[in-house]
Structure formats: structure tokens, C-alpha cells
Amino acid sequence: MDAAAAAQTAAIWYLPFVIPICLWVAYSDLSRMKIPNKAVVALTAVFLAIAIFVFPLAEVGLRILQLLVVLAITFLMTVIRIIGAGDAKFAAAMAPFVMFPEDMTMLLGLFAVATVVGFTTHRLARAIPAIRRATPNWESWVRKKDFPMGYPLSATLMIYLIMKAIGL
């Protein structure tokens, strides 16, 4: 099986498990401005549980290396306060799902669009009284300078995997 076919097969297997984790992360970050460590561990476990059946062992190792590299980079970003620790850990857990380097441009483009759309929808929703009443205790509504990046990060991973599953 070639790399594209393996990625498509993997995406099809990953989606039923990844989507609930991503929705959990988005909801948690929107409501509490926190990405649970359990979600990061769950996402990593899903990757490993399926990867050993759909990828050659060497590729599983390379994808784990991607996780470690992204974790190191995002840890530094956390230290200099560019992103939060939960965002860093979740981005690292997302990394092994991505075909590197083939899909980096596509992934970064998806993330850019998801961030703009996420920021816009968050700010619009925050301004609508009916939504605020339905979600009265959401931490992300009251933090004026912070934005819950788990929302666009989750959307990015879900859209990426859907695109891979349908062969894009």
C-alpha cells in the first residue's frame, strides 16, 4: 500500500475516535479555557492504537518523532507566552496524524482558516445575548484578551482527517 492509500485508510479508522476527542477539546477550551490532559493522552493513544495496524513500524516511529518535535517547539512557545500549555500539548498530540512534509502547507492553511473563522465566530457568538444566556459560565466569554485555541486546533484536525479520508 502506498503512503497516500495508507493515510486514507488510517484517516477512515481515526475519524470515529478523533472527532469526539476534538469536540471535547473544543467544548472544554471554550467553556473552561483548558484542554484536559486526558484528551491529549486519549488522542495520542488513538494514534498509536491504529497506527501500528496501518503504517509500517518505521513510519510510526517517524510520526512519534513529529510529536516530540512539535512538543519541543510549542513548549518554547509556551515559555515565551505565545500559546498556552494545553494548546502546546494538543498540537503535539495532533502532529503524528499529519503526513509530513507532504501535507504541511495544507495543514497550515487549514489552521489559518480555522483560526480566523474560529475567532470570528467566537467573538460574534460572545456578542449575542441568547448565546451568552445559554452558556452563562463560559470562561472564554469573559477573558477579553485570550482566545480558546483548542477550538480551531480541533477543527483543523477534524477537517484534515476528513479530507484525507475522502482522498484529498
Side-chain angles (χ1 to χ4, degrees):
M1 182 180 321
D2 71 357
Q8 184 175 22
T9 300
I12 291 167
W13 280 97
Y14 285 135
L15 276 169
F17 304 101
V18 169
I19 287 174
I21 295 168
C22 285
L23 293 175
W24 173 24
V25 165
Y27 174 79
S28 179
D29 213 15
L30 284 164
S31 62
R32 299 182 315 123
M33 292 296 292
K34 295 200 183 299
I35 297 174
N37 286 335
K38 290 179 184 178
V40 173
V41 170
L43 189 62
T44 304
V46 165
F47 169 76
L48 291 171
I50 294 172
I52 60 174
F53 295 106
V54 295
F55 296 123
L57 192 55
E59 185 166 346
V60 174
L62 286 173
R63 287 176 179 242
I64 291 169
L65 180 60
Q66 287 174 208
L67 181 152
L68 296 172
V69 168
V70 171
L71 184 60
I73 292 167
T74 57
F75 175 76
L76 291 174
M77 293 172 74
T78 299
V79 168
I80 59 175
R81 299 184 184 268
I82 294 174
I83 62 173
D87 305 326
K89 291 179 281 187
F90 190 69
M94 290 170 55
F97 290 89
V98 180
M99 285 181 61
F100 181 80
E102 299 89 342
D103 289 345
M104 281 309 300
T105 301
M106 176 176 65
L107 185 80
L108 292 173
L110 285 173
F111 179 61
V113 170
T115 301
V116 170
V117 170
F119 183 83
T120 303
T121 58
H122 179 265
R123 294 309 198 242
L124 286 172
R126 184 171 77 178
I128 299 172
I131 293 175
R132 292 289 295 267
R133 281 191 302 275
T135 55
N137 298 317
W138 278 22
E139 184 72 21
S140 71
W141 295 152
V142 295
R143 291 201 189 173
K144 300 295 182 196
K145 293 183 180 179
D146 293 337
F147 174 67
M149 289 302 294
Y151 177 35
L153 284 168
S154 295
T156 299
L157 182 57
M158 289 188 293
I159 294 165
Y160 173 78
L161 288 176
I162 290 167
M163 289 175 69
K164 296 313 287 183
I166 62 174
L168 296 176

